Amino acid sequence: MCEPGPLRERREALRLLAAEADRARAGSGRLVLLRGATGTGRTALLEAVAEQAQARGTRVLWARCPPDDDALPFAAVLRLLSFTAGVTSAAEPCPEHGDTGYDRTYAAQLWNRLRAYADGEPLLVAVDDVHFADESSRRWLVDAARRLDGLPLLLVVTERCQYDIDPPSQGLAHTLSPTLVHTHTLAPLSANAAAQLVRSDAAAAKPEWVDDCVRAGAGSPLLLRALLDDLRAAEPEGTPPEAVPETCAALYPGAYPAAVAWWLDSAGPATADVARALAALDGDVLDDGQGEGTAELLARMAGVDPARVPGWLTAMTRLGLLRPDPDGRPRYAHPLLRDAVLSGWPGARRQAAHRTAAEVMLRRGAHAEAVAGQLLRTPAVGAGAEWATAALLDGASVAVRHGRTKDAVSYLRRTLEEPLTPARRATVLMELGSLEFAAARSSAGIPRLAEAVRLPGMPRDRARAAVALGTALALRGEGRAAVDALRGLDEQLADHPDLIRLLQLASALLSDHDRAIRQEAYRWLYDTAERSPHLIGTAGRALLVRYESTAGHISAATAMERIRELLDEPADPYAEPFLLGTAAAVAQWADEPDEAEGLVARGLAGQRPSLLHPMHPALLNVRADIAAGRGAYPDLLADPWDWQVTESRPHRSDPSNAHAHAVLALVETGRTAEAAHLADSFDLRDAHDSWELNRFLYARGVLRSASGDQAGALADFLECGRRQSARDVVSPVVTPWRSAAADCRVALGRPQEALALAREEMRLALVWNTPRVVGRALRGLATATGGRRGLELADRAVRMLRDAAAQTELIPALIAQGRQLSATGDRARARAALREAAERAERLGAVRMRALAEQALPEARSRGAVTALTGWAALTGSERRIAALAADGRTNTEIAELLHLARRTVETHLTSAYRKLGIRRRAELPAAMGERTPDPTRGA
């Protein structure tokens, strides 16, 4: 298979053989039996013994027994006596007696020939792999062992000794007295010896790579040498690869999988099947505390005696081929070894084994996903498949609950291969289509949902499928198709008014994705509410409250009074998600974040995460709005998939509310470049008209304003306002685009236009009349007005926003107040307001607002003062504290914990400090700072 490597950890065996050789030369021969598992180096050791004997003048007779050596009696002995070390001498041919019986006369002739070889000089007789020898040869060797005493002849025999599923035949020496045979068992290589062997082959290898090789070698010199041969061939320059591969497909020329195949062939078909069954399970074994469940499972999969399997698992673990995982379950020592064991297993047998495993695991109460995982590897069970269908659906439910959408999709796709009733098939298609779409808004989910709607089934299920289909279509910008899909069931559900109401509510909510449809939907809601309010139910009336809130028709107090009344009324289960989601949105606008959060939690708890529903994204959007109001920027950026731009997603057309919040959070936390990269990834020319696009336009306007592009920002704010107004969304509760546009016009030197926008914002804010909305409008009006009147407005804004639930609005109000005070010459009050703004911003990690507050401080604007743009003097107080701690050796995490800041805030401060100090890395801090600033936490 591969050239034998250096002998390691075989000194004891070599000493034993040397002593026995000396004893034989003195005229007292004996049998030495070298036993060991496949791949432990029996042959290499025997060859080394033969070489040493020849070097000392001992004649050597050698025979190796191949696996098919039992066709002819005495075949091994004839091979032994026909070849010597450099001398060929033929024995008498075997008599043709027509059977394989033991011919004592012929055996005596062969013994005499052997004695003739031993006359006058010592003789070493080496027989390799005697377990393959024919029965006559084995019996002859046993008889020879009884006659060795008094002869200068040492008989050394190697024999495979390993625990197999099929009990092996009795060993060669089982009938011999212990005084006639000296048995030595070869142990697997220790980890240290195996590592030395690897380093002798690849001296420059990294320790991690060496450890990987040792695990894949599993204590077997055979496997380890084969692996090193393959890895050497892959890197002819002698540089070890970065990692040991986990699949045999990456190995060439394939010495390692060939060595594993030899090990399996040597163990026999029953053992090979058990070994492959364990590899196929990949850790999905039963744990009953005693290992009996695992043994039974493997035995059933392989069709063997379960009483033998526990012993085999123990033996393979002691040899190093298996290792228990942290839960104590047997696993192969390395993924490459597992893959090699699986290679060569016919597909049909493997599939049958997986099906058996699924049945056994299900009967013994294994985890649902473990059973489903086995069924993934089998074709359809077919007739009587109800148990398989139930197991796959259970596995999908568990996967969904734990957020493993990819696994759930796999289980549901496999379920469709089983025979299903139309109703069951519709249910599976509904969940599968929902999950496929939710994973990445994949178009693959829409045909499945459409099929689920068409299939016959319970009216409730067809309505839910239609809602899921409509949600998917609306999220892809196909608002008209979404509403049509929902309305298409009206006639078929005429006898189910609750389901009709469900479809109408879904239509109204999904109409937010299309301006024209939205007007139709709310016109119908208003008309129906006047004629037959019971037809729209509590959820429909809640939608009307939401509409009037955004249209600027009612105050927050009125809106919340109506919403709370609706929440107190009984709601049918189909409409309740719409009621809770709508109520949560209104509560969030009304400065009731805690109440809104509770409603979101209730709404999400009642949702099936595996089924598309228009209220699920709506509830998530409200939760994001609450986080934004609290300045919880890390929460808004917690899931990179929602917003990061990668090579696989370089361009998108439809921005979502999550994208808008991500842009705003990135801007506020000082990551303007990332915000710009995200904003530029959308081509809004292809975007569908939706309320989420309006939110994104506002966010991009904030980004452009923060980057100094006031004209571009103004265009985005005005376009956001135009689109919202076309939808009758005029209240500033959704986006304060007028105040933002007014700030841009002030910056562009157009105060009169700014004042008109700010006054309109103030008028609408007073209609809604919450501290946050009114205070924000007062701040914008103060900036646009200026002078003493502007200061009065700014003071009112600060007073009002101190009572607001969303503290993020207080920071810009304090900055506006500080600037107005500074302009009027009241430096002390200006300094107090701006420092408070900077401190609040720092606690939130709002880097942009902190910078604006510090730049507006009177000392930074005093006449005659030279603004330090670089150097130590240019650093803010926070930057100095953090830079000093970093120069003193503290990590970013330690600094964050010490100063009670977010780690991202620390990183932002350090980046700014590096720029001002003119350095590029942390190691340059002490020199750039001159005399090191002492750690402010020391000496306290």
Side-chain angles (χ1 to χ4, degrees):
M1 299 295 295
C2 60
E3 294 181 1
L7 293 176
R8 295 187 182 272
E9 296 187 326
R10 299 296 182 250
R11 291 181 181 177
E12 182 181 351
L14 290 171
R15 281 197 297 266
L16 163 67
L17 291 164
E20 292 294 341
D22 290 342
R23 188 171 181 267
R25 275 192 294 271
S28 183
R30 187 159 55 171
L31 167 64
V32 176
L33 183 61
L34 298 176
R35 308 179 75 201
T38 301
T40 49
R42 302 186 311 269
T43 299
L45 180 59
L46 188 60
E47 289 173 344
V49 170
E51 185 178 346
Q52 289 180 2
Q54 285 180 306
R56 299 181 66 176
T58 299
R59 175 177 290 183
V60 177
L61 300 182
W62 178 279
R64 178 168 292 154
C65 304
D68 56 351
D69 206 30
D70 58 355
L72 186 68
F74 296 103
V77 180
L78 289 172
R79 191 178 299 107
L80 177 72
L81 297 176
S82 297
F83 299 95
T84 66
V87 179
T88 302
S89 177
E92 300 296 332
C94 179
E96 297 181 2
H97 45 66
D99 58 45
T100 58
Y102 189 69
D103 189 324
R104 292 183 177 275
T105 302
Y106 189 67
Q109 293 176 10
L110 294 175
W111 169 249
N112 291 333
R113 176 57 58 89
L114 178 63
R115 288 199 57 176
Y117 281 126
D119 285 346
E121 61 180 331
L123 179 66
L124 171 66
V125 177
V127 181
D128 194 23
D129 289 342
V130 73
H131 49 280
F132 289 137
D134 62 280
E135 186 59 33
S136 295
S137 294
R138 290 170 60 85
R139 184 170 176 180
W140 185 88
L141 289 170
V142 171
D143 288 345
R146 295 191 176 102
R147 303 176 182 182
L148 292 178
D149 192 29
L151 293 176
L153 191 156
L154 177 62
L155 176 58
V156 182
V157 176
T158 69
E159 184 177 50
R160 182 179 180 276
C161 175
Q162 189 166 308
Y163 191 102
D164 295 322
I165 299 300
D166 286 333
S169 59
Q170 292 179 320
L172 179 72
H174 76 281
T175 61
L176 289 176
S177 168
T179 60
L180 299 177
V181 59
H182 197 142
T183 301
H184 181 82
T185 301
L186 302 180
L189 288 180
S190 67
N192 184 52
Q196 291 176 6
L197 181 57
V198 175
R199 292 191 189 96
S200 69
D201 195 83
K206 297 179 180 179
E208 297 82 4
W209 188 84
V210 173
D211 292 342
D212 224 13
C213 286
V214 170
R215 287 196 300 115
S220 168
L222 172 70
L223 298 185
L224 190 54
R225 287 304 325 172
L227 175 62
L228 293 175
D229 287 347
D230 280 341
L231 296 177
R232 191 186 311 111
E235 299 290 338
E237 300 299 324
T239 302
E242 289 296 322
V244 174
E246 295 191 354
T247 63
C248 294
L251 297 178
Y252 180 81
Y256 182 83
V260 174
W262 171 257
W263 165 61
L264 292 172
D265 290 343
S266 300
T271 300
D273 284 348
V274 172
R276 286 168 173 149
L278 179 61
L281 287 174
D282 192 22
D284 290 333
V285 294
L286 300 178
D287 183 10
D288 55 9
Q290 304 295 326
E292 296 176 1
T294 300
E296 181 195 355
L297 179 58
L298 293 174
R300 289 285 301 275
M301 291 176 69
V304 301
D305 180 5
R308 297 284 298 176
V309 177
W312 181 82
L313 292 171
T314 300
M316 294 304 101
T317 302
R318 289 180 177 175
L319 286 174
L321 293 158
L322 301 181
R323 290 187 179 186
D325 67 9
D327 296 322
R329 297 172 297 190
R331 304 289 291 269
Y332 279 95
H334 193 276
L336 182 63
L337 177 58
R338 172 184 171 267
D339 186 68
V341 170
L342 276 177
S343 299
W345 203 14
R349 293 185 63 185
R350 183 188 299 193
Q351 291 171 353
H354 281 299
R355 173 174 171 170
T356 300
E359 292 181 276
V360 174
M361 294 169 78
L362 181 65
R363 188 182 70 248
R364 294 183 64 95
H367 190 273
E369 283 196 87
V371 179
Q374 296 304 312
L375 289 170
L376 286 180
R377 301 171 175 91
T378 69
V381 174
E386 185 59 33
W387 68 270
T389 300
L392 288 163
L393 293 177
D394 287 346
S397 297
V398 173
V400 168
R401 284 200 304 270
H402 291 85
R404 294 190 293 273
T405 302
K406 185 177 179 181
D407 292 338
V409 166
S410 297
Y411 300 144
L412 292 172
R413 286 175 179 169
R414 171 63 181 79
T415 305
L416 290 177
E417 298 176 12
E418 298 293 345
L420 303 170
T421 64
R424 175 63 68 85
R425 183 174 181 82
T427 300
V428 174
L429 284 168
M430 181 169 53
E431 297 213 5
L432 176 57
S434 296
L435 291 174
E436 285 178 332
F437 183 87
R441 295 198 176 180
S442 168
S443 58
I446 292 179
R448 297 192 194 275
L449 293 170
E451 183 182 354
V453 174
R454 291 193 299 268
L455 286 172
M458 297 290 291
R460 177 195 61 183
D461 292 335
R462 298 191 67 193
R464 290 164 59 195
V467 169
L469 175 60
T471 303
L473 291 169
L475 290 174
R476 284 181 60 85
E478 301 175 38
R480 175 62 66 181
V483 173
D484 289 345
L486 293 168
R487 292 174 178 172
L489 289 181
D490 283 355
E491 293 183 4
Q492 301 173 41
L493 301 177
D495 296 333
H496 301 274
D498 53 344
L499 296 179
I500 292 289
R501 184 162 51 245
L502 166 66
L503 298 180
Q504 291 168 342
L505 290 171
S507 297
L509 193 65
L510 294 176
S511 70
D512 283 341
H513 294 272
D514 186 287
R515 186 193 325 170
I517 302 174
R518 186 175 191 271
Q519 292 173 345
E520 295 175 15
Y522 279 94
R523 189 180 304 116
W524 177 87
L525 277 176
Y526 270 113
D527 292 345
T528 306
E530 290 179 2
R531 297 193 315 269
S532 307
H534 65 280
L535 292 180
I536 65 171
T538 54
R541 285 181 281 161
L543 284 173
L544 292 177
V545 172
R546 190 189 70 158
Y547 179 88
E548 293 181 343
S549 298
T550 59
H553 295 162
I554 59 176
S555 67
T558 301
M560 286 306 299
E561 181 182 0
R562 294 182 184 176
I563 286 293
R564 287 168 180 148
E565 289 175 355
L566 293 172
L567 288 170
D568 288 339
E569 293 184 23
D572 69 72
Y574 299 128
E576 187 174 29
F578 296 93
L579 173 61
L580 293 174
T582 305
V586 175
Q588 191 272 327
W589 293 331
D591 287 2
E592 299 288 352
D594 293 339
E595 186 172 351
E597 202 165 39
L599 291 167
V600 168
R602 284 176 57 191
L604 290 176
Q607 292 282 311
R608 286 185 61 182
S610 61
L611 187 61
L612 281 176
H613 192 284
M615 281 317 303
H616 187 261
L619 288 163
L620 295 180
N621 284 327
V622 174
R623 189 165 67 181
D625 293 344
I626 295 170
R630 291 171 172 168
Y633 305 122
D635 292 346
L636 297 170
L637 301 174
D639 188 356
W641 175 254
D642 285 342
W643 58 271
Q644 278 189 349
V645 181
T646 64
E647 292 182 1
S648 62
R649 300 184 303 153
H651 173 79
R652 291 168 287 200
S653 60
D654 287 310
S656 67
N657 188 49
H659 294 129
H661 278 305
V663 170
L664 291 171
L666 290 169
V667 170
E668 294 303 333
T669 53
R671 299 159 65 180
T672 309
E674 289 180 74
H677 191 42
L678 173 58
D680 291 344
S681 70
F682 292 94
D683 186 351
L684 300 188
R685 294 173 299 180
D686 299 328
H688 295 94
D689 180 26
S690 76
W691 70 270
E692 292 183 289
L693 172 60
N694 304 337
R695 279 281 185 92
F696 188 79
L697 284 168
Y698 174 80
R700 193 176 69 173
V702 172
L703 166 64
R704 287 177 168 177
S705 177
S707 304
D709 181 9
Q710 300 300 335
L714 178 60
D716 278 342
F717 293 140
L718 293 178
E719 179 63 13
C720 169
R722 184 189 69 79
R723 288 173 175 270
Q724 286 192 177
S725 299
R727 293 168 171 267
D728 293 333
V729 179
V730 298
S731 174
V733 297
V734 180
T735 50
W737 64 270
R738 295 180 187 81
S739 292
D743 289 343
C744 291
R745 282 179 166 164
V746 169
L748 291 170
R750 294 149 64 181
Q752 292 305 313
E753 297 175 15
L755 195 57
L757 283 169
R759 285 172 176 167
E760 178 64 9
E761 181 94 333
M762 189 71 239
R763 183 186 71 80
L764 292 167
L766 289 172
V767 173
W768 186 245
N769 200 27
T770 61
R772 177 173 52 152
V773 172
V774 174
R776 184 171 59 199
L778 282 169
R779 195 276 312 156
L781 186 59
T783 301
T785 302
R788 294 199 174 276
R789 175 59 179 162
L791 176 57
E792 292 174 4
L793 294 169
D795 288 343
R796 284 177 56 194
V798 169
R799 288 195 301 272
M800 182 163 287
L801 287 169
R802 287 193 186 282
D803 298 329
Q807 291 296 297
T808 50
E809 298 294 347
L810 178 58
I811 299 171
L814 286 167
I815 294 173
Q817 182 189 42
R819 285 172 173 167
Q820 299 281 0
L821 289 166
S822 182
T824 60
D826 193 343
R827 294 174 179 271
R829 285 186 63 203
R831 188 178 296 109
L834 293 168
R835 284 181 175 171
E836 181 184 355
E839 290 170 0
R840 287 179 177 274
E842 186 163 355
R843 285 198 295 269
L844 288 178
V847 176
R848 182 177 77 97
M849 286 295 175
R850 178 186 57 79
L852 290 174
E854 291 178 342
Q855 289 168 9
L857 282 167
E859 53 262 36
R861 302 163 55 89
S862 61
R863 182 171 298 181
V866 179
T867 302
L869 299 177
T870 60
W872 175 254
L875 269 61
T876 65
S878 299
E879 290 168 349
R880 291 181 185 181
R881 288 194 297 274
I882 291 172
L885 291 168
D888 204 46
R890 302 293 184 105
T891 66
N892 289 358
T893 301
E894 291 172 340
I895 296 172
E897 293 176 353
L898 192 65
L899 299 180
H900 305 289
L901 299 174
R903 189 171 182 271
R904 171 63 68 178
T905 303
V906 173
E907 293 170 354
T908 302
H909 281 309
L910 281 176
T911 301
S912 177
Y914 292 167
R915 176 179 55 78
K916 293 177 182 178
L917 294 173
I919 62 176
R920 301 181 66 179
R921 58 182 61 89
R922 200 185 203 93
E924 301 176 60
L925 267 175
M929 292 167 58
E931 181 179 354
R932 177 177 290 195
T933 303
D935 184 340
T937 65
R938 294 183 178 175

